[in-house]
Amino acid sequence: MDTGALRAAVAAGDESAVARLLDEAPRTALAGPAGAALLTRAVRAGQHRIAERLVAVGADPDRTEFTGGVDLVAEAADRGAYSMVQALLPGPVARQRRALEAARAWLGGSEEDELRRRLGGPDVTFAYEDVHEEVDPDNPHLYDPTPVARRIHATAADGRTLTVETTHRALVTDVEKSIGTFATTPEELADRALHHARPGFRDWQASVWRLADRADAESFACAARLLHSPEPPHRRFALDLLSAIATHLFLRRPWRHGRQALDLLRAYLATDEDHPELLDSALFAHSWYAHEYGTDGELFAILPFGSHHDGAVRERVLHELGPSMDRNPAVVDLCTARCDDPRPDTREAALYALASYGPDSPDLRSLFAAHLTDPHAPARLEAAAGLALRHDPRADAVLARFTEDAEPESPTWWRLDEIRRRRARTAPAG
């Protein structure tokens, strides 16, 4: 291993060069002082991906000779540097407990109150910005722009500053799980998520998945209680939890509260709930439980939402019922009607459902052909898919244009690949 080149790559923050230099390095290659020095530099520069690679080959986060005696793990946890803490944490329980205690110090109240306390008075101003996941260079097309935290910049009257990210509750939840602390109640986990009440935030997701892991009677009772709350964020958390339990467990085993969950969701969808985001989550969860624990009648009971005033709700119904259209012609009718939806993404969903699961008929082929010039490119792609999967040559020119323009590994690229493979498996009619 070229240590000089590695030092230069870490100093430059060149992740690809670091990865190349560490490729196939033994797990103890950086166990000594040199590794500790490199790790300190990466942590202080906020390079969590590089830090993770260094730790994987022996760099020790517990060494402090290059940090001025500062504990790198506790320092990162105190700042709410979630990704950095995750990069440093593999190792002994003592290391994880230091992260836990540093993060837990922020749970007594708001971040603003703690920042005022640390800066020594009430005269502190705050600036805020959303924190997003970094783009994975290996999978840039999987990037999700949903914020995962907020970054708070605090400035005292004398000019001193502190910056923190709002992930302490997520860190506490994750480390508790890692070290086997199971005494935390569902109510406490829900309160951590609802402190900021931002779906997609790390504290929200950590609590959802911790409760989904448990999937016990207390977790179900927590979801049922919050689903009846007058506060929309509480209802959203309950729906996210029920969805997480469904997707988490169905691949492994039935859930003993599954039928109760379906009944709970059916009753919820019969209320006057009209928050589109909540309806979207409820329809998703309802479909999972209806498939596993319900009847066809219960599954297709959401058909009326296919005409909801919100386009995203209409789209959700198409995604959930499209794969089952062979069992209910009303789904075919709904998808056909929604092909002329004013919302582009809803049209795309309708055309996708018909292309992938619909019958073959002259009328349906005519519908696909009419949408080969749809102004929304993904809808054009699905119209061409519908014809191609029925071996209709009118799709060929459109698919050729998409193939020419598609970036490798993009959603369009993968959809084209799926169309080619499915088309090759079937013989043309006649």
Side-chain angles (χ1 to χ4, degrees):
M1 182 175 62
D2 186 339
T3 55
L6 182 58
R7 282 196 299 271
V10 171
D14 188 340
E15 182 186 347
S16 61
V18 171
R20 185 176 63 256
L21 290 164
L22 293 180
D23 187 36
E24 299 182 0
R27 292 181 62 84
T28 58
L30 295 178
L38 289 170
L39 182 60
T40 300
R41 174 168 286 187
V43 172
R44 292 284 163 79
Q47 299 285 349
H48 68 89
R49 295 185 193 276
I50 290 178
E52 183 176 19
R53 292 184 182 278
L54 295 173
V55 170
V57 292
D60 186 355
D62 298 332
R63 300 183 70 132
T64 59
E65 64 261 48
F66 300 100
T67 68
V70 174
D71 180 350
L72 288 176
V73 174
E75 180 185 57
D78 185 65
R79 290 187 285 111
Y82 183 91
S83 296
M84 185 62 73
V85 173
Q86 297 299 326
L88 299 175
L89 272 193
V93 170
R95 181 185 302 163
Q96 299 181 58
R97 289 192 182 279
R98 299 200 309 273
L100 179 62
E101 293 309 311
R104 189 176 275 156
W106 289 83
L107 267 59
S110 71
E111 288 85 358
E112 288 85 353
D113 286 344
E114 179 63 14
L115 287 165
R116 288 189 188 95
R117 186 189 71 77
R118 295 189 180 201
L119 288 171
D123 192 11
V124 177
T125 59
F126 301 100
Y128 302 89
E129 61 177 315
D130 282 340
V131 178
H132 300 265
E133 288 279 19
E134 294 181 11
V135 177
D136 183 347
D138 295 326
N139 298 285
H141 300 290
L142 299 181
Y143 175 69
D144 183 350
T146 304
V148 296
R150 279 199 307 177
R151 186 175 292 116
I152 305 175
H153 303 279
T155 305
D158 61 6
R160 288 175 299 123
T161 64
L162 285 174
T163 297
V164 69
E165 294 182 14
T166 59
T167 67
H168 300 99
R169 288 165 176 80
L171 285 169
V172 169
T173 301
D174 287 350
V175 178
E176 283 177 343
K177 177 184 176 183
S178 177
I179 65 178
T181 301
F182 297 106
T184 311
T185 65
E187 287 69 26
E188 184 176 351
L189 289 167
D191 286 346
R192 290 176 189 174
L194 293 167
H195 177 77
H196 295 110
R198 291 280 298 272
F201 267 26
R202 295 195 193 280
D203 50 11
W204 182 284
Q205 293 298 99
S207 289
V208 164
W209 288 107
R210 180 77 186 277
L211 286 168
D213 280 338
R214 292 173 52 155
D216 54 11
E218 290 182 337
S219 297
F220 175 71
C222 178
R225 176 178 60 83
L226 291 175
L227 196 58
H228 290 100
S229 168
E231 300 296 328
H234 292 205
R235 302 198 297 277
R236 173 63 186 270
F237 183 81
L239 293 167
D240 281 8
L241 173 54
L242 290 172
S243 297
I245 291 173
T247 55
H248 209 39
L249 292 182
F250 281 178
L251 297 179
R252 297 183 294 167
R253 63 186 185 276
W255 187 35
R256 63 191 178 112
H257 301 289
R259 180 66 227 190
Q260 292 172 275
L262 176 57
D263 292 339
L264 181 68
L265 289 162
R266 288 179 63 208
Y268 176 74
L269 288 171
T271 68
D272 59 357
E273 178 64 80
D274 204 34
H275 285 74
E277 297 85 359
L278 299 184
L279 283 175
D280 182 274
S281 296
L283 291 166
F284 173 80
H286 174 276
S287 297
W288 273 94
Y289 287 102
H291 274 294
E292 186 73 8
Y293 303 103
T295 65
D296 274 3
E298 288 168 322
L299 174 65
F300 295 120
I302 66 172
L303 267 166
F305 288 98
S307 300
H308 191 268
H309 65 80
D310 185 85
V313 173
R314 298 194 299 272
E315 180 185 349
R316 171 59 62 190
V317 174
L318 301 175
H319 284 307
E320 300 306 327
L321 297 186
S324 303
M325 68 172 61
D326 61 328
R327 306 202 317 259
N328 191 334
V331 179
V332 179
D333 294 341
L334 174 65
C335 291
T336 301
R338 293 277 72 86
C339 285
D340 292 320
D341 198 280
R343 182 173 179 269
D345 288 345
T346 307
R347 289 201 308 278
E348 176 194 353
L351 288 161
Y352 172 86
L354 289 169
S356 300
Y357 310 109
D360 187 6
S361 70
D363 287 345
L364 190 54
R365 291 192 186 206
S366 294
L367 183 148
F368 289 138
H371 283 275
L372 291 176
T373 56
D374 193 292
H376 185 50
R380 292 198 302 276
L381 175 58
E382 294 308 328
L387 292 171
L389 294 175
R390 290 155 182 82
H391 297 275
D392 190 313
R394 287 176 289 181
D396 294 346
V398 175
L399 290 179
R401 289 193 292 272
F402 276 107
T403 300
E404 183 178 346
D405 296 338
E407 296 182 19
E409 308 294 324
S410 68
T412 298
W413 187 92
W414 282 111
R415 180 58 169 153
L416 289 165
D417 180 68
E418 179 187 10
I419 293 166
R420 283 191 293 269
R421 287 186 288 105
R422 288 188 59 183
R423 193 180 193 182
R425 289 198 302 265
T426 60

